[in-house]
Amino acid sequence: MRTGMIFFAVLLLIRAEAQTFGGHPPVQRWKQIRTDRAWVIFPTGWDSTAKRAASLLNAIESMPDSASVPVKRAVPVILQHRTTISNGYVGLAPFRSEWLMTPPVNPFTLGSLPWADQLGIHEYRHIQQYQQFNRGGAKLFRWILGEQGQALANALTIPDWYFEGEAVFQETRLSKQGRGRLPAFYNGYRALWEADRHYSYQKLRNGSYRDYVPGHYQLGQLLTSYGYDRYGRGFWKDVTNDAAAMRGVFYPFQQAVRRYSGESFKEFTWKALDSKQQELAVVGFKGNEATRPVVNEENPVYTEAGDLVYMHSSYTELPAFTLRKKDGTEKKIRVRDQSLDNYFSYANGKIVYTSWRPAARWGWIDYSELQVLDIVSGRQQRITVNSNYFTPAFSHSADSIVAVHIGSDGLTNLHVLDLNGRLLNKIPNDSNFIYSFPVFAGREILTATRNRKGEMALQAVEIETGLHRSLVPWTRHIIGYPKQIGDTIYFTLSINGRDQTVLLDKGKMAIAVADNPASLTGEYQPTIYADQLTVSKFTAGGYKLRQRLTDLRPANQELAAQTQSGVGEWLPVADFLAKPMFEENAVIYPERAGNLLDEYPSDSVTVKNYSKASGLFRFHSWMPWYEEPEFSLTVVSQNLLNTFQSQVYGLYNRNEQFKQIGWTGTYGGLFPLINAGIEYTFDRRALYRNRQIRWNEMELKGGLQIPLNLSRGRQISFLTLASDLVYNQPYFRMPEKDSLGNRSFTYLDNSLRFSIQSQQAKQHINPRWATALRLQYRATINRYDSKQWLASASQYLPGIGRNHSLVLSGAIGGRDSLPGIRFSDNFPFARGYESRSLYRMSRLGATYHFPLFYPDAGAWNIVYLLRVRAAGFFDWARAKDERYLGTMNWVDFRSTGLEFYFDTRWWNQLPVSVGLRYAYLLDSDLLGSLGRNHWEIILPINLIPSPNLRKQKGQQSIF
């Protein structure tokens, strides 16, 4: 029956959010603001941001909006302030939103809006969506399964592109910016259309291992904006209401689109994309070559000799610093450490960039540290530790570095450091600007700057005094990547619907566009050597380096004449910025609510302390489960700060007819996780001396676990230490109560897990280098002398092909031979054989993985096949056990065979890899009767979540 629950379990995982458990140290203190419509939980010191967030949520909820329903209750919003990642999400089970408060330093990706404001507009739309979608069939699922039941129902009926596309649409509608107004947001679809690539809806939904495919945010923006533009403001509310209510049962979303548009869903998507292609002005336009495989060439810089250094990556290769000489030959300098972006700076034979590193224990804390790399020797040095630096740049002599520093208090500064990471100067920032891409320019620093209104400027900041001078005044246009040569500054600017390279004459305060080939996608990170301009340009085959001649001569006095070779018309800065960043058309819904961020007042709200002990028991979901021969019901609880998780469960076994109730809990607010549980079983039965006896049984559990993330540099590494104490007390009935006496026992379960691996490119089946180690030791500490031990290891190695993988594995294990309890089997036996906990066991194995083909095809909008891969294996296990094998000599269990894996997406959302294994047994199976040929289905280890924690540890009958 376990396989019969596969798809139900798969769906329970759709849209599951990876919320960090126990992510803050115990010294962290929290406060809260709570109103009828807003509930913000935030760290001490973030009062002003929390107040603005609460006021914004109140303002959004107060707006008349036919496309949403009123929020019925305040949903908790938690501000996470110590991670360098810029993100946010809303999730059910439990219903909450988490905002990661470090603003994105690159404004081309998410815009220049104040980060808390953008999160508020976007994430609150998700809160509204979940409130709205709790209806009809979804409400029934919620009644049966709790909040995770609604999450399941909504995932079944509402595509994720609608969730995100409509939230992006709200960003665009309620502000002067939002991603719907950013040229970079449309790069993906423009690049595909320019290359005359028109993928199916299913490919656009599910992506590809071969080709570049834009994400569901972009697809959602195009489809939702088309629906609003063509069918009115209430169109999507009607569609999603019917879909969430499961009106029509089969394909309710597609049926609802037909019902309210008069078109089939296929016709609707085709017309929507065709309409957006026309609005984005690429009909019949072909200016971008399409290449396969996808290869990215980013962040070009010139060396003193005129060679290019850039970041090279692909679907089969990790990001690496690469040197391209004038004669076209290339050399890989070094694979980049884990990082949040590909930006770096070069000077005098050295590269400086930021690497990302997590804190060892606390999942909500991570760092962005400065690394200096010598391009000749390939040696790298970390010069800052536990820091939060972004977009660093060398001085021309490479003796100092300027970088953006964003503290855990939310304040941003420009820091000047020496090559040892010592702080030389902290430039004042009284206006709380956000800086991007600072570079040295004599005694000043050029930087793209954002203010509290979401406007940007190109500023020169004096290093000594901190005086800010705007070279390009405050504007809604996006600005970045400035460089200066003489009195000319070249940088990237969003204008006329594209991110373009422009030149600024500081003396004349005039701007001109650097001439580029006809194209509608953006180009970034301009760099110049002599009269040659190199940029990184977005194409359907990835970012590509493009070179052309340009002329940096200043503008003439009339500011209107054409210069030679490569620079367009010079215009005064104000006239140039009068051009729109993006043409106002139906891509952006015209019925705007104005700029809500400038209009809403700051509410008078009360700040109170938030106790970490508040709401420790917050039951949100329940899971009925049947797995032959057991029925169970588990109720799940999690507090808002996710420091305490617990489950209450009941179970009935129809074979042995025993009943069981229990509770388990884990507290993660201290350095070690604390696990505890209690379980009581009624009516256990077994044969003892040829007669059946009955008893009840209680089991108490408690233990500690220390999960450590030791990832650093190019390696991803985890270490988990755990120790649990388990006490088992049987309660016998008469007359066995007198004859058996007290049979209680206690045992320890100790384990260690360690893994270290390299990073993976998109097409890599496994890491090219990795090691995984597991040690476990179980032993009773009273009454019995029962023991069990296990040591296993796997080594991942590169194969013949770039995406091939060789995995070597081995294990040894065993147990005692004395009467007593028998611990459950945990040994990785040879594939194809039955397994038991035997007296002594060993195993060696080898598996070779390789891809077969990439179908990029789906069926019925239910399953989509991205890749088919295979693996050949050979296993050799040996064991001895007098009871099960009839001998104390070693017995061989050898097998060989093939595995086929199918990397799929179900319901166009959830990635699931399933496999089929054929094993040929080279020796007799003394533990089973399966014959020589053995077939089985391979499921992901974490595909089916256990409904409770009771099965993680246990022992067989003591009789």
Side-chain angles (χ1 to χ4, degrees):
M1 185 62 186
R2 185 177 181 88
T3 56
M5 301 296 291
I6 292 173
F7 294 110
F8 177 71
V10 167
L11 294 173
L12 287 178
L13 298 178
I14 292 179
R15 295 189 63 83
E17 303 291 348
Q19 190 185 23
T20 300
F21 179 68
H24 286 286
V27 296
Q28 180 63 56
R29 296 292 179 263
W30 298 88
K31 294 186 177 182
Q32 64 176 329
I33 294 172
R34 192 162 188 174
T35 69
D36 292 339
R37 295 173 173 174
W39 183 9
V40 183
I41 301 170
F42 58 95
T44 301
W46 283 73
D47 299 51
S48 60
T49 301
K51 289 178 180 178
R52 181 167 175 84
S55 298
L56 175 59
L57 301 187
N58 287 333
I60 296 174
E61 188 58 33
S62 300
M63 294 175 56
D65 189 347
S66 62
S68 64
V69 296
V71 170
K72 298 176 183 177
R73 60 184 175 89
V75 176
V77 173
I78 305 166
L79 308 187
Q80 301 291 353
H81 68 306
R82 297 194 64 183
T83 172
T84 57
I85 298 171
S86 306
N87 209 339
Y89 72 90
V90 175
L92 292 169
F95 197 5
R96 80 286 179 197
S97 179
E98 303 217 34
W99 299 2
L100 284 61
M101 298 307 299
T102 297
V105 177
N106 186 346
F108 292 101
T109 57
L110 294 171
S112 61
L113 292 176
W115 184 232
D117 291 351
Q118 185 168 1
L119 285 171
I121 295 175
H122 184 99
E123 302 304 334
Y124 196 71
R125 186 59 188 148
H126 291 322
I127 292 175
Q128 293 175 316
Q129 289 166 342
Y130 277 124
Q131 295 270 23
Q132 177 185 340
F133 298 159
N134 183 26
R135 60 179 59 246
K139 182 172 283 189
L140 176 62
F141 271 66
R142 186 175 180 128
W143 183 82
I144 296 173
L145 298 172
E147 289 183 355
Q148 77 175 0
Q150 184 192 338
L152 162 62
N154 291 164
L156 277 171
T157 55
I158 311 293
D160 59 354
W161 61 253
Y162 175 81
F163 276 92
E164 298 299 349
E166 217 227 351
V168 169
F169 183 86
Q170 175 146 299
E171 289 178 33
T172 310
R173 179 171 173 262
L174 298 186
S175 72
K176 290 293 186 181
Q177 202 179 90
R179 275 169 278 185
R181 304 183 197 277
L182 298 182
F185 190 72
Y186 301 100
N187 272 341
Y189 277 94
R190 282 179 152 178
L192 293 184
W193 292 329
E194 286 180 3
D196 200 26
R197 288 190 175 182
H198 301 273
Y199 296 143
S200 67
Y201 168 75
Q202 287 202 59
K203 185 165 182 174
L204 295 176
R205 285 285 290 109
N206 294 283
S208 171
Y209 280 110
R210 295 184 304 161
D211 303 309
Y212 166 76
V213 177
H216 60 286
Y217 285 77
Q218 291 80 1
L219 178 65
Q221 164 67 2
L222 295 181
L223 296 184
T224 54
S225 61
Y226 172 79
Y228 282 135
D229 178 57
R230 184 170 177 83
Y231 300 107
R233 190 75 181 107
F235 172 72
W236 286 115
K237 180 180 179 181
D238 294 336
V239 167
T240 54
N241 280 351
D242 283 7
M246 298 186 179
R247 181 182 175 187
V249 183
F250 297 105
Y251 301 101
F253 188 86
Q254 289 86 340
Q255 288 190 45
V257 168
R258 176 189 286 274
R259 187 177 301 119
Y260 295 106
S261 70
E263 302 170 336
S264 69
F265 184 72
K266 183 176 181 180
E267 291 174 327
F268 174 87
T269 55
W270 180 83
K271 289 183 178 180
L273 294 175
D274 183 67
S275 170
K276 296 309 174 185
Q277 183 177 356
Q278 295 182 46
E279 291 167 6
L280 291 166
V282 292
V283 172
F285 182 93
K286 294 183 181 180
N288 248 333
E289 77 278 16
T291 60
R292 184 180 288 164
V294 176
V295 176
N296 292 302
E297 301 169 333
E298 299 177 75
N299 202 74
V301 296
Y302 278 106
T303 68
E304 295 79 3
D307 299 328
L308 272 173
V309 178
Y310 69 96
M311 185 68 68
H312 178 281
S313 64
S314 72
Y315 283 5
T316 62
E317 298 170 289
L318 297 173
F321 300 101
T322 303
L323 176 67
R324 178 183 295 175
K325 295 187 176 182
K326 291 180 180 179
D327 61 7
T329 60
E330 293 195 347
K331 172 189 174 184
K332 180 189 290 186
I333 301 171
R334 185 185 190 272
V335 171
R336 188 208 64 196
D337 286 2
Q338 296 180 79
S339 181
L340 300 177
D341 58 48
N342 287 324
Y343 184 82
F344 66 90
S345 173
Y346 167 87
N348 197 24
K350 294 183 175 62
I351 286 172
V352 61
Y353 72 103
T354 57
S355 64
W356 179 84
R357 183 177 63 84
R361 167 62 181 87
W362 310 109
W364 277 125
I365 303 176
D366 51 64
Y367 309 103
S368 184
E369 301 171 330
L370 293 178
Q371 304 281 355
V372 174
L373 169 65
D374 187 296
I375 70 169
V376 176
S377 67
R379 289 195 295 267
Q380 180 174 288
Q381 178 186 3
R382 180 176 61 166
I383 64 171
T384 63
V385 179
N386 297 348
S387 59
N388 293 332
Y389 283 115
F390 304 88
T391 61
F394 274 127
S395 62
H396 295 297
S397 58
D399 58 358
S400 58
I401 298 168
V402 61
V404 177
H405 179 269
I406 302 179
S408 59
D409 55 3
L411 300 180
T412 303
N413 289 97
L414 293 175
H415 283 189
V416 179
L417 308 97
D418 65 15
L419 291 190
N420 293 315
R422 289 190 293 265
L423 181 63
L424 302 177
N425 192 3
K426 177 181 176 182
I427 299 176
N429 181 15
D430 296 334
S431 300
N432 199 21
F433 294 142
I434 304 294
Y435 303 107
S436 300
F437 313 113
V439 293
F440 286 98
R443 296 182 178 179
E444 296 179 321
I445 292 172
L446 289 179
T447 179
T449 307
R450 281 175 272 173
N451 65 17
R452 295 177 181 178
K453 296 181 180 179
E455 299 168 329
M456 293 201 72
L458 179 62
Q459 292 191 317
V461 182
E462 292 185 4
I463 298 175
E464 295 297 328
T465 66
L467 178 66
H468 290 60
R469 177 168 55 93
S470 292
L471 304 176
V472 174
W474 296 109
T475 177
R476 294 286 178 185
H477 298 69
I478 305 299
I479 297 171
Y481 307 112
K483 302 275 193 320
Q484 180 171 326
I485 297 180
D487 285 337
T488 302
I489 299 172
Y490 54 103
F491 58 98
T492 303
L493 179 74
S494 297
I495 196 161
N496 284 338
R498 290 206 333 270
D499 297 326
Q500 303 187 61
T501 300
V502 299
L503 309 179
L504 170 68
D505 185 308
K506 291 173 62 178
K508 302 296 183 180
M509 291 304 295
I511 297 182
V513 175
D515 186 34
N516 59 358
S519 176
L520 290 173
T521 59
E523 60 179 36
Y524 306 91
Q525 302 150 343
T527 186
I528 287 183
Y529 182 80
D531 60 352
Q532 185 161 266
L533 169 69
T534 299
V535 298
S536 180
K537 184 167 186 58
F538 194 93
T539 76
Y543 285 95
K544 305 296 181 186
L545 297 188
R546 294 292 176 259
Q547 296 177 318
R548 59 182 180 271
L549 297 177
T550 190
D551 191 335
L552 297 182
R553 289 181 294 174
N556 59 25
Q557 292 183 355
E558 288 75 22
L559 300 178
Q562 297 284 339
T563 61
Q564 297 179 0
S565 73
V567 176
E569 182 182 7
W570 288 92
L571 293 174
V573 171
D575 294 347
F576 192 88
L577 295 179
K579 300 176 183 181
M581 178 172 68
F582 202 97
E583 294 291 341
E584 296 284 344
N585 54 33
V587 173
I588 304 164
Y589 189 70
E591 182 193 324
R592 296 201 307 255
N595 186 14
L596 178 66
L597 303 182
D598 288 341
E599 297 168 1
Y600 75 89
S602 179
D603 296 340
S604 176
V605 293
T606 302
V607 175
K608 297 181 179 179
N609 290 329
Y610 182 79
S611 171
K612 289 187 285 187
S614 175
L616 284 180
F617 292 93
R618 189 180 180 89
F619 294 99
H620 56 76
S621 301
W622 35 95
M623 183 187 296
W625 193 264
Y626 174 61
E627 182 180 347
E628 182 68 29
E630 295 177 344
F631 299 88
S632 67
L633 176 66
T634 304
V635 183
V636 183
S637 169
Q638 175 185 308
N639 67 331
L640 291 177
L641 294 179
N642 202 10
T643 55
F644 186 65
Q645 297 177 350
S646 62
Q647 301 179 83
V648 177
Y649 58 89
L651 177 146
Y652 173 72
N653 184 297
R654 70 174 191 167
N655 283 358
E656 299 185 32
Q657 297 182 357
F658 67 78
K659 285 78 68 178
Q660 191 176 79
I661 58 174
W663 171 86
T664 61
T666 302
Y667 181 71
L670 301 175
F671 184 81
L673 304 182
I674 302 175
N675 304 308
I678 182 171
E679 184 175 86
Y680 197 89
T681 305
F682 301 87
D683 298 326
R684 290 292 307 272
R685 62 183 68 184
L687 287 177
Y688 178 68
R689 295 179 179 176
N690 296 321
R691 60 188 296 268
Q692 188 177 79
I693 64 172
R694 296 189 178 191
W695 75 98
N696 295 341
E697 187 174 272
M698 180 184 68
E699 188 166 271
L700 298 175
K701 304 177 183 179
L704 301 176
Q705 180 179 337
I706 302 176
L708 300 176
N709 187 342
L710 305 178
S711 302
R712 176 179 172 181
R714 292 173 289 186
Q715 306 299 327
I716 302 168
S717 181
F718 297 92
L719 172 65
T720 300
L721 304 170
S723 181
D724 288 283
L725 181 68
V726 182
Y727 170 75
N728 184 284
Q729 172 67 68
Y731 297 96
F732 295 102
R733 303 175 184 179
M734 296 297 292
E736 288 78 16
K737 183 177 182 179
D738 289 337
S739 60
L740 293 176
N742 181 14
R743 291 293 183 103
S744 65
F745 62 92
T746 305
Y747 71 90
L748 277 171
D749 186 348
N750 304 306
S751 64
L752 178 151
R753 291 177 182 265
F754 174 75
S755 66
I756 184 169
Q757 70 168 74
S758 63
Q759 303 171 73
Q760 283 182 251
K762 185 167 185 164
Q763 288 186 6
H764 289 174
I765 295 173
N766 292 314
R768 291 178 64 79
W769 298 94
T771 301
L773 174 67
R774 177 188 177 191
L775 302 174
Q776 186 172 26
Y777 180 72
R778 297 170 175 174
T780 55
I781 58 177
N782 70 336
R783 186 168 299 279
Y784 304 103
D785 191 17
S786 299
K787 299 179 179 64
Q788 183 191 70
W789 59 91
L790 168 67
S792 64
S794 296
Q795 181 65 48
Y796 294 73
L797 301 169
I800 299 173
R802 186 169 285 172
N803 297 322
H804 293 201
S805 174
L806 173 63
V807 183
L808 304 177
S809 57
I812 58 173
R815 59 166 175 80
D816 64 282
S817 60
L818 300 174
I821 68 168
R822 289 289 180 262
F823 295 104
S824 57
D825 178 38
N826 60 1
F827 189 83
F829 211 63
R831 280 165 279 193
Y833 289 94
E834 289 290 307
S835 177
R836 287 186 175 87
S837 180
L838 303 178
Y839 175 62
R840 293 291 185 269
M841 294 177 286
S842 66
R843 172 184 175 267
L844 293 175
T847 308
Y848 190 87
H849 297 264
F850 54 96
L852 294 177
F853 50 92
Y854 302 88
D856 283 352
W860 313 294
N861 280 312
I862 295 177
V863 62
Y864 189 83
L865 184 58
L866 290 143
R867 177 173 61 187
V868 179
R869 50 192 172 90
F873 70 86
F874 173 77
D875 286 345
W876 181 15
R878 307 188 76 198
K880 55 183 177 180
D881 189 292
E882 187 170 11
R883 176 182 178 186
Y884 289 108
L885 303 178
T887 177
M888 287 302 287
N889 296 320
W890 288 100
V891 178
D892 289 334
F893 297 84
R894 295 170 299 167
S895 65
T896 187
L898 286 173
E899 298 171 341
F900 295 94
Y901 293 90
F902 305 89
D903 296 326
T904 66
R905 284 186 179 270
W906 287 87
W907 275 267
N908 295 314
Q909 295 188 61
L910 180 69
V912 176
S913 295
V914 296
L916 180 66
R917 175 186 294 151
Y918 167 71
Y920 179 75
L921 308 189
L922 301 174
D923 299 294
S924 298
D925 186 0
L926 301 182
L927 300 174
S929 56
L930 300 175
R932 295 283 186 175
N933 301 295
H934 183 66
W935 295 86
E936 62 182 311
I937 296 174
I938 307 170
L939 299 178
I941 294 175
N942 61 345
L943 178 60
I944 301 180
S946 175
N948 54 59
L949 302 180
R950 61 188 168 80
K951 296 184 178 180
Q952 290 185 354
K953 303 174 181 67
Q955 73 288 333
Q956 298 172 0
S957 171
I958 62 174
F959 299 102

